[in-house]
Amino acid sequence: MRASISRAIAEEVPIAIELNGMGYAVLMGTGEALEDLACGFALSERLVESAADILDVDAQAVEAGIMLRLTLTPEAAARAELRTRHRTSDSSCGLCGIENLEQAIRPLHAVTATAQANEEAIFAAVDRLHDHQPLNRLTGAVHAAALCDADGAIRLVREDVGRHNAFDKLIGAMLRGGTGWDGGFALLSSRCSYELVEKAVLAGCPMLVTISAPTSLAIERARQAGLPLVVLARPDAVLRL
């Protein structure tokens, strides 16, 4: 016997990011927690160093998607303008391409914070993550990024169809709320790519835990920065790198 059921579909829309009137990037993402996304993205792009660098965030629905406008301080705006010039040379000549490659893999500072969580805390957080993913329960199609404390309790979660966006939303929410890691860790429902490692380091995260496996560059970048990685995380098993 067959029966028809209805299922919610995850939203995925173009999100254009504008910095002080300059077009900077277009992301494909889920149109919620947009202020968090804007702030986390700006930090991950090394455009801002603190919430004080962001004067205003305005999200507006437009015909083609969502326009996300950030107003930055003059100092942060100057960094954005310089970075925009690098990004707009992507289709240029081979010599300019050398500069682009150097910009793609930029130096990372060393992680100074220390995670206090043991494996039991990681097991507990992984086991509870599903309970903090309402959008994924409806759609089965979005990633989550969670701030977990040293005991494995989940303090804050953000969701998005893109794993990078989900982490940027979490970082942005922490930045806006003045929330620290406090010996805890980040738990991501995705593979561990080098971009996620870089976001973790730039956000001062003391340990990154992911559900799936890492890439070779993610491992290399984490070792360079001294970021502890825990991958293939399950409620009863993990792999430490």
Side-chain angles (χ1 to χ4, degrees), residues 28-47:
M28 298 303 297
T30 303
E32 63 175 27
L34 292 171
E35 291 81 3
D36 295 338
L37 174 62
C39 295
F41 179 83
L43 182 68
S44 295
E45 285 286 295
R46 311 188 194 205
L47 304 175

Side-chain angles (χ1 to χ4, degrees), residues 63-74:
E63 184 176 354
I66 297 172
M67 181 65 71
L68 197 50
R69 297 185 173 94
L70 287 81
T71 303
L72 307 179
T73 62

Side-chain angles (χ1 to χ4, degrees), residues 22-222:
M22 298 182 297
Y24 187 82
V26 177
L27 312 176
M28 298 303 297
T30 303
E32 63 175 27
L34 292 171
E35 291 81 3
D36 295 338
L37 174 62
C39 295
F41 179 83
L43 182 68
S44 295
E45 285 286 295
R46 311 188 194 205
L47 304 175
V48 303
E49 297 176 352
S50 69
D53 289 329
I54 302 172
L55 302 178
D56 185 55
V57 179
D58 178 66
Q60 182 178 359
V62 295
E63 184 176 354
I66 297 172
M67 181 65 71
L68 197 50
R69 297 185 173 94
L70 287 81
T71 303
L72 307 179
T73 62
E75 294 79 7
R79 290 193 291 269
E81 184 177 359
L82 179 62
R83 182 82 173 120
T84 299
R85 287 203 296 270
H86 285 303
R87 291 167 66 91
T88 55
S89 65
D90 285 346
S91 61
S92 56
C93 67
L95 289 177
C96 293
I98 294 174
E99 184 178 44
N100 291 335
L101 288 173
E102 291 172 348
Q103 284 291 312
I105 307 296
R106 291 176 286 173
L108 289 172
H109 59 73
V111 172
T112 57
T114 301
Q116 304 297 327
N118 57 24
E119 290 187 353
E120 286 71 22
I122 297 172
F123 295 155
V126 173
D127 187 52
R128 297 167 185 157
L129 182 60
H130 181 73
D131 297 333
H132 295 265
Q133 295 180 259
L135 188 55
N136 192 58
R137 285 201 302 275
L138 287 173
T139 65
V142 299
H143 284 293
L147 164 63
C148 308
D149 70 17
D151 295 323
I154 296 177
R155 300 170 55 194
L156 184 65
V157 176
R158 289 293 182 268
E159 294 183 278
D160 197 279
V161 291
R163 63 188 188 276
H164 304 101
N165 296 341
F167 200 14
D168 276 340
K169 285 179 178 180
L170 177 67
I171 293 168
M174 294 175 64
L175 186 68
R176 296 176 67 213
T179 306
W181 294 99
D182 301 328
F185 58 95
L187 171 60
L188 309 183
S189 65
S190 67
R191 69 181 174 88
C192 182
S193 65
Y194 85 92
E195 301 101 325
L196 297 176
V197 166
E198 293 191 354
K199 291 177 189 295
V201 173
L202 292 168
C205 178
M207 181 169 68
L208 179 60
V209 181
T210 66
I211 300 298
S212 296
T215 65
S216 60
L217 187 55
I219 296 172
E220 178 183 344
R221 296 290 275 167

